[in-house]
Amino acid sequence: ATATLAAPAIAQSSPEVRWRLTSSFPKSLDTIYGSAEEMANIVREMTDGKFNIQVFPAGEIVPGPQALDAVQSNTVEANHTCSYYFVGKDPTFAIGTAIPFGMNARQQNAWLYEGGGNEVLNEFYATYGVIGVPGGNTGVQMGGWWRKEVNSLADVQGVKMRIAGIAGQVMAKLGAVPQQIPGGDIYPSLEKGTIDAAEWVGPYDDEKLGFHQVAKFYYYPGFWESGPTLHFMFNAQKHAELPKAYQAALKAGCAYANDITMAKYDAKNRLAIRSLVGKGVQLRPFPRDVLDAAYVASQELYAGLVQTNENWKKVYEPWKQFRDESFQWFRVAEYTMDSYNYAMQASGK
Amino acid sequence: ATATLAAPAIAQSSPEVRWRLTSSFPKSLDTIYGSAEEMANIVREMTDGKFNIQVFPAGEIVPGPQALDAVQSNTVEANHTCSYYFVGKDPTFAIGTAIPFGMNARQQNAWLYEGGGNEVLNEFYATYGVIGVPGGNTGVQMGGWWRKEVNSLADVQGVKMRIAGIAGQVMAKLGAVPQQIPGGDIYPSLEKGTIDAAEWVGPYDDEKLGFHQVAKFYYYPGFWESGPTLHFMFNAQKHAELPKAYQAALKAGCAYANDITMAKYDAKNRLAIRSLVGKGVQLRPFPRDVLDAAYVASQELYAGLVQTNENWKKVYEPWKQFRDESFQWFRVAEYTMDSYNYAMQASGK
């Protein structure tokens, strides 16, 4: 405040701006909650403390799932969330994060930044009065913790699984019974056997919640989240009112968080998976017939939405084209390189 | 300048700072040259034009390979380059970019940002008076353009190939004859048959230089560059003299460029590979015995350097551990997901 009094001439270009950001995540998820703090911190540093974004964990201002409403109504200026939490309003929100059998993190990021993804998503987000900017990625998530082994599609029948959104719809088509349970209730529900399986994030976040103590089998891959992008969302009018320099600081700060969060997950999951295996966790790939049934169910769902939902059609169709073209290219150099390197390492060379 | 005169009170916290950055790349490589411009532009926007970094293409101030000397001697304050261009000074520089059979882009980025990589590299870079910050990645490069088909390791014998650095040493161990040729001379050399093969970058950059018109076979993967990181390097003293806010702007600006450059390569290569195949280019995977021989040659080289070069040992050993642990984790969820998605797409589903 002293600086402002001393230098009124700069009031217009560098005003003191205070924003509040509601995270959809608890502080205990340090990686993903930390993403918003990384962004806020670097924006504060870049502006000599003048653009000050205060980060609140889920529940302090509004519950996690209300992060969009809170920004739309200008209760807070910003959030950090998963776009797919809002599929109840419109399934199109899912494409901003991840849909089953979608792109991996790099491909989704390329679509967003350089394939028209941010633009087409923001045309959609604009109808809710918000602007969305990528803010991190977890990489492929795990397929969750299962109390019983899944040897074929038949073993999925009747399984009560904690899984939400479009992923839940796909699992329902496979015969599972999707349950919506907040993160904090998963452990006791699994322990009591109220549910038979639960998906959360990946090794690092999962280990902290201790699921390995109540469900032995850890499946992969989480085919419903092959490269889920987190988003920062800003109230569009509040964003427009920012000085251009602060808009740029926000843009760079989000990219910084985007980059760092992916790096954190990749670094931390690499250690957590070793730790979990050391604790006796049984890693299992999903059987092929489960993946195939889920793939077919997903495509049916998408085809139906193209027919019935104009927003979905506008976002999904260019996304799908980018996905298919990306897969063709990645199969050439990236996949061949990964395959060779992983095979050599697996053989102890 | 007017603003500065009108508001002398802010002179200390927001001084006018002009830096020059020498890129190691020509303007024609718009993706990679553009990375420095993206960084400079966003830093300029964030600071209301007060921190102004002017970007020069290779050759305007110093030639590309002298980008380190220029920053060390403070001829310019900054560069944008590949650390491995400086292996003539010390092979340890290669690890900052890529060494054969190294990590992919995401894994290398995780090592740099969250695995101690930036720290251990900067202890080494500090002996040259510079600070290095990641500034983009090309993804796995291609294995170059070959005039004759390579059906086995025998076909590599005597091949005059444009390839430099540690990669060149590995190819030499396989019986090839590495040639150091500037980018602009590759096309005529291949056309005349002065060389038999040449590696450059990947589909997008390669197509612009027209190599497909003079060499029919396009090999993959470029096993010597599985996730090459570009670097911004700053004169350490000049960096220390910056206001803290400008240091933060630089940090965020580099992360922005890091993120965007990877996205650009992924988006542009996906179209260029289709275009090249449409022009009749023959895509070929390297035969297994070529990869195996190169793998063994690389490991021998690294083991030798651990014995003889203290800098190499300090950087390589933690890098190698991170690599091995990353491969183990990525084999679980990421690779299984990619494998399934690519297989489904290849089968037309």
Side-chain angles (χ1 to χ4, degrees), chain A residues 196-216:
Chain A
D196 310 302
E199 70 91 32
W200 185 235
V201 185
Y204 179 72
D205 293 330
D206 290 8
E207 186 178 24
K208 283 192 293 184
L209 293 189
F211 299 137
H212 55 283
Q213 291 155 16
V214 287
K216 191 174 162 188

Side-chain angles (χ1 to χ4, degrees), chain A residues 10 46 106-107 140 220 258-259 266 270 274 292 324-325 328 331 334-335 339-340 342 345, chain B residues 10 46 106-107 140 258-259 266 270 274 292 324-325 328 331-332 334-335 339-340 342 345:
Chain A
I10 61 158
M46 288 190 278
R106 247 176 74 183
Q107 294 156 356
V140 180
Y220 65 88
N258 195 40
D259 212 13
D266 286 341
R270 112 190 181 277
R274 295 166 70 89
D292 286 346
D324 291 347
E325 291 166 351
Q328 283 187 323
R331 274 162 51 200
E334 286 289 336
Y335 186 69
S339 297
Y340 184 80
Y342 298 165
Q345 203 234 6
Chain B
I10 61 157
M46 288 190 277
R106 247 176 75 183
Q107 294 157 356
V140 180
N258 196 40
D259 213 14
D266 286 341
R270 114 189 178 278
R274 295 167 70 89
D292 287 346
D324 291 346
E325 291 167 351
Q328 283 186 325
R331 274 163 49 201
V332 179
E334 286 290 337
Y335 186 69
S339 296
Y340 184 80
Y342 299 165
Q345 203 234 7

Side-chain angles (χ1 to χ4, degrees), chain B:
Chain B
T2 317
T4 308
L5 289 172
I10 61 157
Q12 266 193 318
S13 66
S14 306
E16 300 259 354
V17 173
R18 288 188 163 274
W19 271 19
R20 297 193 306 168
L21 180 152
T22 184
S23 171
S24 284
F25 315 103
K27 273 194 181 169
S28 57
L29 284 176
D30 59 305
T31 336
I32 201 166
Y33 177 81
S35 185
E37 298 227 301
E38 295 273 14
M39 188 278 276
N41 288 344
I42 201 158
V43 167
R44 203 177 293 117
E45 286 172 40
M46 288 190 277
T47 59
D48 270 327
K50 286 182 190 124
F51 186 10
N52 193 352
I53 302 169
Q54 195 178 353
V55 178
F56 294 88
E60 280 203 15
I61 301 177
V62 295
Q66 288 172 31
L68 172 61
D69 293 334
V71 175
Q72 187 177 6
S73 66
N74 200 26
T75 302
V76 295
E77 291 82 1
N79 71 29
H80 185 237
T81 192
C82 293
S83 178
Y84 67 14
Y85 286 164
F86 315 115
V87 291
K89 298 178 191 287
D90 189 321
T92 310
F93 277 105
I95 306 172
T97 313
I99 57 176
F101 303 100
M103 292 187 264
N104 69 25
R106 247 176 75 183
Q107 294 157 356
Q108 179 83 358
N109 207 52
W111 175 65
L112 289 167
Y113 274 115
E114 295 291 329
N118 280 334
E119 291 75 9
V120 73
L121 271 176
N122 273 311
E123 279 178 39
F124 168 66
Y125 293 152
T127 62
Y128 292 82
V130 305
I131 293 170
V133 181
N137 199 303
T138 64
V140 180
Q141 297 195 359
M142 290 290 284
W145 299 87
W146 297 62
R147 287 162 54 97
K148 288 194 189 143
E149 207 163 353
V150 178
N151 292 309
S152 76
L153 182 57
D155 295 332
V156 174
Q157 307 305 309
V159 166
K160 285 178 282 180
M161 181 177 190
R162 187 267 180 190
I163 187 167
I166 286 184
Q169 290 177 48
V170 169
M171 289 305 284
K173 282 184 177 233
L174 267 56
V177 186
Q179 312 279 317
Q180 303 237 18
I181 296 174
D185 296 343
I186 300 175
Y187 186 98
S189 303
L190 264 181
E191 191 177 28
K192 284 181 219 149
T194 317
I195 56 173
D196 309 302
E199 71 90 32
W200 184 234
V201 184
Y204 178 72
D205 293 330
D206 290 9
E207 186 178 24
K208 282 192 295 185
L209 294 189
F211 300 137
H212 54 283
Q213 292 156 16
V214 288
K216 189 173 162 188
F217 301 101
Y218 199 19
Y219 274 87
Y220 64 89
F223 52 80
W224 48 88
E225 292 173 298
S226 49
T229 300
L230 312 169
H231 270 85
F232 290 107
M233 289 180 177
F234 307 121
N235 180 283
Q237 194 185 325
K238 286 287 165 187
H239 184 268
E241 288 169 9
L242 288 175
K244 284 213 186 314
Y246 290 8
Q247 288 177 352
L250 212 48
K251 187 172 158 184
C254 291
Y256 177 76
N258 196 40
D259 213 14
I260 291 290
T261 306
M262 179 81 271
K264 276 191 188 166
Y265 269 111
D266 286 341
K268 289 177 190 283
N269 281 334
R270 114 189 178 278
L271 297 178
I273 193 82
R274 295 167 70 89
S275 168
L276 286 168
V277 169
K279 289 173 181 170
V281 165
Q282 300 292 305
L283 290 178
R284 292 284 186 280
F286 279 119
R288 177 76 192 217
D289 64 348
V290 170
L291 292 177
D292 287 346
Y295 192 89
V296 169
S298 305
Q299 306 308 310
E300 285 172 3
L301 199 65
Y302 305 157
L305 285 165
V306 166
Q307 298 302 317
T308 58
N309 183 318
E310 196 55 36
N311 292 329
W312 175 277
K313 184 176 156 70
K314 267 191 213 157
V315 179
Y316 175 77
E317 288 186 340
W319 175 90
K320 178 66 160 62
Q321 187 184 342
F322 195 95
R323 170 193 179 275
D324 291 346
E325 291 167 351
S326 292
F327 283 7
Q328 283 186 325
W329 159 232
F330 272 70
R331 274 163 49 201
V332 179
E334 286 290 337
Y335 186 69
T336 311
M337 187 79 252
D338 282 346
S339 296
Y340 184 80
N341 272 335
Y342 299 165
M344 290 303 278
Q345 203 234 7
S347 70
K349 282 174 191 164

Side-chain angles (χ1 to χ4, degrees), chain A residues 85-136:
Chain A
Y85 286 165
F86 315 115
V87 291
K89 298 177 190 289
D90 189 321
T92 310
F93 277 105
I95 307 172
T97 314
I99 56 176
F101 303 101
M103 291 187 264
N104 69 24
R106 247 176 74 183
Q107 294 156 356
Q108 179 83 357
N109 207 51
W111 175 64
L112 289 167
Y113 274 116
E114 295 290 331
N118 280 333
E119 290 75 8
V120 72
L121 272 176
N122 273 311
E123 278 178 39
F124 169 66
Y125 292 152
T127 62
Y128 293 82
V130 305
I131 294 171
V133 182

Side-chain angles (χ1 to χ4, degrees), chain A:
Chain A
T2 317
T4 309
L5 289 173
I10 61 158
Q12 265 194 318
S13 67
S14 305
E16 300 260 353
V17 174
R18 287 188 164 275
W19 272 19
R20 296 194 308 168
L21 180 152
T22 185
S23 171
S24 284
F25 315 103
K27 272 195 182 169
S28 56
L29 284 176
D30 60 306
T31 336
I32 200 167
Y33 177 80
S35 185
E37 298 227 300
E38 295 274 15
M39 188 278 274
N41 288 344
I42 201 157
V43 166
R44 203 177 293 118
E45 287 173 40
M46 288 190 278
T47 59
D48 270 326
K50 286 182 190 124
F51 185 11
N52 193 353
I53 302 169
Q54 194 177 355
V55 178
F56 294 88
E60 281 203 15
I61 300 176
V62 295
Q66 289 172 31
L68 172 61
D69 294 334
V71 175
Q72 187 177 6
S73 66
N74 200 27
T75 302
V76 294
E77 292 82 1
N79 71 29
H80 185 237
T81 192
C82 294
S83 178
Y84 67 15
Y85 286 165
F86 315 115
V87 291
K89 298 177 190 289
D90 189 321
T92 310
F93 277 105
I95 307 172
T97 314
I99 56 176
F101 303 101
M103 291 187 264
N104 69 24
R106 247 176 74 183
Q107 294 156 356
Q108 179 83 357
N109 207 51
W111 175 64
L112 289 167
Y113 274 116
E114 295 290 331
N118 280 333
E119 290 75 8
V120 72
L121 272 176
N122 273 311
E123 278 178 39
F124 169 66
Y125 292 152
T127 62
Y128 293 82
V130 305
I131 294 171
V133 182
N137 200 301
T138 64
V140 180
Q141 297 197 359
M142 291 290 283
W145 299 87
W146 296 62
R147 286 161 55 95
K148 289 194 189 142
E149 207 162 352
V150 178
N151 292 309
S152 76
L153 183 56
D155 295 332
V156 174
Q157 307 305 310
V159 166
K160 285 178 283 181
M161 181 176 189
R162 187 267 180 191
I163 187 167
I166 286 185
Q169 291 178 47
V170 169
M171 289 306 284
K173 282 185 177 232
L174 267 55
V177 186
Q179 313 280 316
Q180 302 236 18
I181 297 174
D185 297 342
I186 301 176
Y187 185 98
S189 303
L190 264 182
E191 191 177 29
K192 285 182 218 148
T194 317
I195 55 173
D196 310 302
E199 70 91 32
W200 185 235
V201 185
Y204 179 72
D205 293 330
D206 290 8
E207 186 178 24
K208 283 192 293 184
L209 293 189
F211 299 137
H212 55 283
Q213 291 155 16
V214 287
K216 191 174 162 188
F217 302 102
Y218 199 18
Y219 275 86
Y220 65 88
F223 52 80
W224 49 88
E225 293 173 297
S226 49
T229 300
L230 312 168
H231 269 85
F232 290 106
M233 289 179 176
F234 308 120
N235 180 281
Q237 193 183 326
K238 286 287 165 184
H239 184 267
E241 288 169 9
L242 288 175
K244 284 213 186 317
Y246 290 8
Q247 287 177 351
L250 212 48
K251 186 173 160 185
C254 290
Y256 177 76
N258 195 40
D259 212 13
I260 291 291
T261 305
M262 179 81 272
K264 277 192 187 164
Y265 270 110
D266 286 341
K268 289 178 190 283
N269 281 334
R270 112 190 181 277
L271 297 177
I273 193 82
R274 295 166 70 89
S275 168
L276 286 169
V277 169
K279 289 172 180 169
V281 165
Q282 301 291 306
L283 291 178
R284 293 283 186 282
F286 278 119
R288 176 77 193 216
D289 64 349
V290 170
L291 292 176
D292 286 346
Y295 192 90
V296 170
S298 306
Q299 305 310 311
E300 285 172 3
L301 199 65
Y302 306 157
L305 285 164
V306 166
Q307 298 302 318
T308 57
N309 184 318
E310 196 55 37
N311 292 328
W312 176 276
K313 185 176 155 70
K314 266 191 214 159
V315 180
Y316 176 77
E317 288 186 340
W319 175 90
K320 178 65 160 63
Q321 187 184 341
F322 195 95
R323 170 193 179 274
D324 291 347
E325 291 166 351
S326 293
F327 282 8
Q328 283 187 323
W329 160 230
F330 272 70
R331 274 162 51 200
V332 179
E334 286 289 336
Y335 186 69
T336 311
M337 187 78 254
D338 282 347
S339 297
Y340 184 80
N341 271 335
Y342 298 165
M344 290 304 276
Q345 203 234 6
S347 70
K349 281 174 191 163

